[in-house]
């Protein structure tokens, strides 16, 4: 471990390396299947392709086992994969990232207890991913979504953007275009203390999204607001860098 690093940094680096190996292994396997000589085991390339395919599959299996170990210990969770690569994780076909569908906030709270804060606000699950976890990024904005749009346009690296919109229901802070930015840039999820629009489309996107509801009226776009500051709602404080865990039961966040 390098000087100044933390155990979390080490695990995150391990996870990111694991994802790269798994992604590359899947690509090699798919390429071998594509180039496999049709109808002739005697083709000169058959032996090489068979060996490459076998090795790639074995590497992928090993990566999946390591991934399950990391997930079981609740270190890391799903993020949307900006490459759009699909990968089989256990029995669930998910996008590459930081989470397994086997994570349960109820079980996690039983294990970690007072290390975690439980959000009392009753959010709706509106994204395609009902479970998501990642380090918190924050933005505070009131009925103006230009700042949060610019943040989601940058690499998310598996983070969850917590948007403190003051609970305003009069206009939407996130629509399908902004949510798609989150998908394209590798954000694990978005929690909106406010409302969204285009909820039918957003429900098909491979990203976690929780909000209070929906309203077709759009927000202003002046860029007013603050980014990466502590924000509070639902009886908890969301601090940038703290881990957030979300599933059908609710939201937990580290103190």
């Amino acid at each position: 471990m390098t000087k100044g690093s933390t155990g979390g940094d080490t695990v995150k680096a391990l996870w990111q390396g694991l994802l790269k190996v798994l992604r590359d292994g899947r690509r090699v396997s798919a390429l071998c299947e594509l180039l496999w000589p049709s109808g002739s085991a005697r083709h000169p390339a058959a032996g090489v392709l068979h060996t490459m395919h076998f090795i790639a599959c074995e590497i992928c299996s090993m990566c999946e086992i390591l991934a399950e170990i990391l997930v079981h210990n609740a270190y890391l969770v799903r993020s949307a994969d900006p490459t759009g690569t699909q990968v089989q994780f256990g029995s669930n076909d998910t996008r590459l990232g930081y989470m397994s569908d086997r994570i349960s906030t109820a079980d996690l709270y039983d294990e970690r207890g007072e290390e975690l804060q439980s959000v009392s606000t009753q959010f709706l699950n509106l994204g395609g991913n009902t479970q998501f976890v990642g380090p918190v990024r924050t933005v505070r904005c009131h009925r103006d979504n230009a700042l949060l749009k610019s943040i989601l346009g940058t690499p998310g690296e598996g983070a969850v953007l917590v948007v403190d919109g003051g609970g305003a229901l009069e206009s939407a802070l996130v629509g399908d275009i902004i949510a798609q930015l989150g998908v394209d840039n590798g954000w694990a999820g978005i929690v909106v203390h406010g409302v969204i629009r285009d909820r039918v489309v957003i429900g098909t996107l491979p990203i976690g999204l929780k909000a209070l509801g929906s309203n077709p009226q759009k927000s202003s776009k002046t860029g007013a607001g603050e980014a990466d500051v502590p924000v509070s709602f639902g009886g908890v404080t969301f601090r940038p860098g703290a881990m957030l865990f979300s599933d059908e039961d609710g939201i937990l966040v580290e103190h």
Side-chain angles (χ1 to χ4, degrees):
M1 188 180 299
T2 60
K3 184 177 181 180
S5 67
T6 66
D9 292 335
T10 302
V11 174
K12 183 175 180 179
L14 173 61
W15 180 261
Q16 290 173 337
L18 191 63
L19 290 180
K20 184 179 186 304
V21 173
L22 183 55
R23 183 187 298 116
D24 291 344
R26 290 291 185 186
R27 288 172 176 166
V28 170
S29 178
L31 181 62
C32 290
E33 291 176 0
L34 180 66
L35 298 178
W36 198 277
S38 177
S40 176
R42 298 179 181 178
H43 191 285
V48 174
L49 290 172
H50 176 77
T51 301
M52 290 177 61
H53 184 268
F54 175 79
I55 293 174
C57 288
E58 288 297 305
I59 290 174
C60 289
S61 296
M62 186 179 300
C63 287
E64 288 176 356
I65 292 171
L66 291 173
E68 292 293 343
I69 292 172
L70 288 178
V71 168
H72 178 72
N73 285 280
Y75 282 120
L76 294 166
V77 289
R78 182 186 317 173
S79 69
D81 175 22
T83 67
T85 306
Q86 296 290 323
V87 62
Q88 188 72 23
F89 245 132
S91 61
N92 301 296
D93 189 22
T94 64
R95 298 172 73 85
L96 282 174
Y98 293 133
M99 185 173 162
S100 164
D101 286 328
R102 298 167 189 168
I103 288 292
S104 162
T105 55
D107 291 344
L108 191 58
Y109 190 85
D110 288 347
E111 292 174 6
R112 299 183 58 182
E114 296 307 312
E115 296 177 12
L116 301 171
Q117 307 172 83
S118 182
V119 180
S120 62
T121 304
Q122 298 301 293
F123 285 96
L124 301 177
N125 268 318
L126 300 174
N129 292 344
T130 57
Q131 300 184 351
F132 55 97
V133 188
V136 168
R137 296 279 306 278
T138 66
V139 59
R140 179 186 291 123
C141 53
H142 181 68
R143 301 188 61 186
D144 190 304
N145 62 5
L147 180 57
L148 77 88
K149 181 179 181 180
S150 68
I151 294 172
L152 288 172
T154 63
E157 299 180 340
V160 176
L161 184 62
V162 177
V163 182
D164 183 4
L169 306 178
E170 294 83 2
S171 58
L173 288 171
V174 174
D176 58 344
I177 294 175
I178 291 180
Q180 184 64 55
L181 279 176
V183 175
D184 295 340
N185 288 290
W187 292 81
I190 310 168
V191 176
V192 183
H193 190 221
V195 294
I196 69 166
R197 64 181 192 168
D198 304 312
R199 63 188 290 172
V200 173
V201 176
I202 288 175
T204 68
L205 299 179
I207 189 170
L209 195 152
K210 284 191 170 180
L212 300 178
S214 57
N215 187 325
Q217 181 173 328
K218 65 182 179 181
S219 290
S220 59
K221 305 183 186 302
T222 66
E226 299 176 275
D228 293 318
V229 295
V231 300
S232 299
F233 54 81
V236 310
T237 298
F238 301 83
R239 294 180 174 82
M243 289 298 293
L244 181 150
F245 306 83
S246 178
D247 67 1
E248 295 86 347
D249 278 346
I251 300 172
L252 297 175
V253 63
E254 293 176 333
H255 283 283

